[in-house]
């Protein structure tokens, strides 16, 4: 049986974010391969809109609407479901219900699991998670890091990398870099786990060596006020909190950047690092979670321990002050990012989809 119609379940922008962007891009690319693709959105706008202002009620309304959508749109014509899943309440409220509804309707589920919190989440909720996992046809993960987490719990998984928009994230040829005022960027949400504060502290050291250096922080989140206060306390200049950007705006930001900093404390396979490398921007990052499986220290990035802004700054200055090192990181980063192109991901997905359909017809 050949695949003609599938349903993707996952979040969509807005707001833009790693999994939402991946869901939207995957649907677009699969349609480009001639498939009929329906997307069931797990984060649709609240209907009616005023429900969104009532925390408890809005959760109940969204869940009720989600179940109604599943019952209506998971018809016998759907050959398989590609489920975008994450840890925590997102799993319990959206991923698990899809699996159980699909089981009743005899539709195979391809589970696409992502997120750096898997280990902690499984440690607390494994029995409930495993009860749903056993009804998935295959588990796809974007990294060796997550594959190892599943293996520790006795579950096999297959690595299928995140999709990179190779038309959007491209390097730009420049006649010369601003060596007096390098542009440093941070493209993570303003949440505690991404430790943007360490990036700002590292930038303070960078600005001592490059007084005209600029820092752009792209993202939103609950840490904004505290980070703005930190900037004030450190008496830093040329720092711009640009807010949440569209993928097109992020691509434009990278094309104007000289360095990307990432201070995350918990992580899996961050798209931001892949996009930076594809844009020809050298990366200095912590070595949290699955990042060492995504990039190699001193080859296509410089990695430092998490929570160490002084080491983050030292690595950043090494890149900014050594043209040969910078160029080496850029070239290796471009080569690394190439493995996330659609034609390579599609080849892997086709194989998994075909195997799932073959098993479901027997």
């Amino acid at each position: 049986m050949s695949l003609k119609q599938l349903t993707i379940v996952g979040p969509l922008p807005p707001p833009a974010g790693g999994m939402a962007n991946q869901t939207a891009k995957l649907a677009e690319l699969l349609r480009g391969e001639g498939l009929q693709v329906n997307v069931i959105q797990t984060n649709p706008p609240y209907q009616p809109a005023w429900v969104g202002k009532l925390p408890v009620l809005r959760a109940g309304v969204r869940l009720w609407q989600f179940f109604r959508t599943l019952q209506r749109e998971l018809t016998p014509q759907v050959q398989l479901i590609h489920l975008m899943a994450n840890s925590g309440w997102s799993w319990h409220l959206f991923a698990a219900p899809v699996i159980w509804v699909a089981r009743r309707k005899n539709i195979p589920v391809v589970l696409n699991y992502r997120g750096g919190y898997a280990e902690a989440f499984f440690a607390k909720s494994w029995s409930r998670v495993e009860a749903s996992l056993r009804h998935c046809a295959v588990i796809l993960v974007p990294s060796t890091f997550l594959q190892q987490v599943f293996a520790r719990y006795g579950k096999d998984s297959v690595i299928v990398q995140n999709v990179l928009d190779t038309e959007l994230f491209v390097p730009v040829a420049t006649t010369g870099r601003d060596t007096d005022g390098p542009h440093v960027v941070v493209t993570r949400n303003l949440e505690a786990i991404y430790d943007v504060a360490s990036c700002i502290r590292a930038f303070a050291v960078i600005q001592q060596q490059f007084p005209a250096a600029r820092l752009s922080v792209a993202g939103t989140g609950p840490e904004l006020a505290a980070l703005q206060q930190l900037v004030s306390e450190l008496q830093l200049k040329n720092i711009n909190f640009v807010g949440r950007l569209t993928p097109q705006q992020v691509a434009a930001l990278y094309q104007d950047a000289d360095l990307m900093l990432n201070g995350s404390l918990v992580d899996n396979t961050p798209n931001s690092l892949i996009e930076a490398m594809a844009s020809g921007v050298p990366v200095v990052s912590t070595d949290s979670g699955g990042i060492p499986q995504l990039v190699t220290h001193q080859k296509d990035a410089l990695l430092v321990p998490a929570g160490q802004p002084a080491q983050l700054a030292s690595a950043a200055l090494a890149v900014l002050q050594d043209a040969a090192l910078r160029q080496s990181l850029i070239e290796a980063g471009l080569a690394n990012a190439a493995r996330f192109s659609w034609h390579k991901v599609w080849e892997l997905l086709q194989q998994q989809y075909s195997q799932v359909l073959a098993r479901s017809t027997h």
Side-chain angles (χ1 to χ4, degrees), residues 196-206 215 230 233-234 236 309-310 313:
V196 178
S198 282
C199 294
I200 290 174
R201 294 183 186 279
F203 180 72
V205 179
I206 294 170
L215 174 65
L230 177 61
E233 291 173 359
L234 295 175
L236 299 176

Side-chain angles (χ1 to χ4, degrees), residues 91 182 194 333:
W91 171 268
Y194 298 126

Side-chain angles (χ1 to χ4, degrees), residues 177 210 282 315-329:
R177 195 169 58 84
F210 296 92
L317 287 172
V319 175
L320 294 173
Q321 294 172 334
D322 187 336
L325 172 62
R326 170 185 166 80
Q327 190 59 35
S328 174
L329 293 175

Side-chain angles (χ1 to χ4, degrees), residues 140-207:
L140 307 182
V141 293
S143 66
T144 303
F145 172 72
L146 273 181
Q147 188 179 53
Q148 292 170 345
V149 172
F150 275 98
R152 286 195 285 273
Y153 284 84
K155 288 290 181 180
D156 293 329
S157 59
V158 177
I159 297 176
V160 176
Q161 290 92 346
N162 290 337
V163 180
L164 171 70
D165 190 333
T166 53
E167 295 182 357
L168 188 60
F169 296 97
V170 295
V172 173
T174 56
T175 56
R177 195 169 58 84
D178 184 356
T179 55
D180 293 326
H183 185 193
V184 181
V185 298
V186 174
T187 52
R188 306 307 299 267
N189 282 336
L190 310 184
E191 301 174 20
I193 62 169
Y194 298 126
D195 194 13
V196 178
S198 282
C199 294
I200 290 174
R201 294 183 186 279
F203 180 72
V205 179
I206 294 170
Q207 202 164 69

Side-chain angles (χ1 to χ4, degrees), residues 264-288:
S264 55
L265 306 175
V266 176
D267 231 320
N268 174 31
T269 306
N271 290 329
S272 54
L273 269 66
I274 300 168
E275 293 165 354
M277 290 189 294
S279 303
V281 180
V283 171
V284 173
S285 173
T286 61
D287 59 1
S288 300

Side-chain angles (χ1 to χ4, degrees), residues 13 21 27 30 35 44 50 74-75 82 96 117 120 124 130 193 202 209 231 272 287 293 311 318 322 348:
N21 291 342
L30 288 173
L35 299 180
W50 58 264
L74 294 182
T75 65
H82 188 119
Y117 274 123
K124 293 189 298 184
E130 200 277 332
I193 62 169
Q209 298 295 320
V231 170
S272 54
D287 59 1
Q293 283 81 42
Q311 294 189 43
D322 187 336
L348 296 171

Side-chain angles (χ1 to χ4, degrees), residues 35-345:
L35 299 180
Q36 184 177 342
V37 180
N38 179 43
V39 178
I40 297 178
Q41 186 176 356
T42 57
N43 62 336
Y46 290 102
Q47 297 293 337
W50 58 264
V51 170
K53 300 178 181 179
L54 305 174
V56 177
L57 179 62
R58 70 189 182 194
V61 170
R62 173 164 282 178
L63 191 57
W64 175 71
Q65 292 176 339
F66 182 60
F67 269 103
R68 287 190 62 190
T69 302
L70 291 178
Q71 294 294 343
R72 181 179 67 251
E73 297 193 21
L74 294 182
T75 65
Q77 287 70 43
V78 177
Q79 292 174 277
L80 64 80
I81 297 168
H82 188 119
L83 173 59
M84 309 291 278
N86 208 331
S87 304
W89 281 108
S90 173
W91 171 268
H92 297 305
L93 294 177
F94 299 112
V98 172
I99 295 168
W100 289 97
V101 171
R103 184 182 182 225
R104 289 198 296 271
K105 292 175 175 284
N106 294 315
I107 304 173
V109 173
V110 173
L111 176 69
N112 196 170
Y113 199 99
R114 53 194 61 233
Y117 274 123
E119 183 82 74
F121 177 55
F122 291 172
K124 293 189 298 184
S125 306
W126 179 248
S127 60
R128 285 181 291 169
V129 172
E130 200 277 332
S132 299
L133 283 178
R134 67 169 69 111
H135 301 297
C136 295
V138 66
I139 301 171
L140 307 182
V141 293
S143 66
T144 303
F145 172 72
L146 273 181
Q147 188 179 53
Q148 292 170 345
V149 172
F150 275 98
R152 286 195 285 273
Y153 284 84
K155 288 290 181 180
D156 293 329
S157 59
V158 177
I159 297 176
V160 176
Q161 290 92 346
N162 290 337
V163 180
L164 171 70
D165 190 333
T166 53
E167 295 182 357
L168 188 60
F169 296 97
V170 295
V172 173
T174 56
T175 56
R177 195 169 58 84
D178 184 356
T179 55
D180 293 326
H183 185 193
V184 181
V185 298
V186 174
T187 52
R188 306 307 299 267
N189 282 336
L190 310 184
E191 301 174 20
I193 62 169
Y194 298 126
D195 194 13
V196 178
S198 282
C199 294
I200 290 174
R201 294 183 186 279
F203 180 72
V205 179
I206 294 170
Q207 202 164 69
Q208 291 174 6
Q209 298 295 320
F210 296 92
R214 297 175 291 140
L215 174 65
S216 295
V217 181
T220 59
E223 296 293 304
L224 176 59
L227 294 171
Q228 290 173 326
Q229 178 62 31
L230 177 61
V231 170
S232 178
E233 291 173 359
L234 295 175
Q235 299 182 343
L236 299 176
K237 60 182 181 179
N238 299 337
I239 294 185
N240 187 16
F241 290 90
V242 300
R244 189 185 296 276
L245 303 181
T246 65
Q248 292 75 17
Q249 291 170 324
V250 172
L253 181 66
Y254 283 137
Q255 290 171 358
D256 187 57
D258 298 296
L259 179 72
M260 185 247 196
L261 287 181
N262 176 58
S264 55
L265 306 175
V266 176
D267 231 320
N268 174 31
T269 306
N271 290 329
S272 54
L273 269 66
I274 300 168
E275 293 165 354
M277 290 189 294
S279 303
V281 180
V283 171
V284 173
S285 173
T286 61
D287 59 1
S288 300
I291 292 175
Q293 283 81 42
L294 172 63
V295 294
T296 302
H297 178 51
Q298 294 185 329
K299 180 181 178 183
D300 43 30
L302 296 187
L303 302 182
V304 302
Q308 299 295 325
Q311 294 189 43
L312 203 63
S314 178
L317 287 172
V319 175
L320 294 173
Q321 294 172 334
D322 187 336
L325 172 62
R326 170 185 166 80
Q327 190 59 35
S328 174
L329 293 175
I330 289 174
E331 291 176 2
L334 289 169
N336 188 356
R339 63 192 173 103
F340 298 91
S341 63
W342 171 243
H343 79 274
K344 294 187 177 181
V345 174

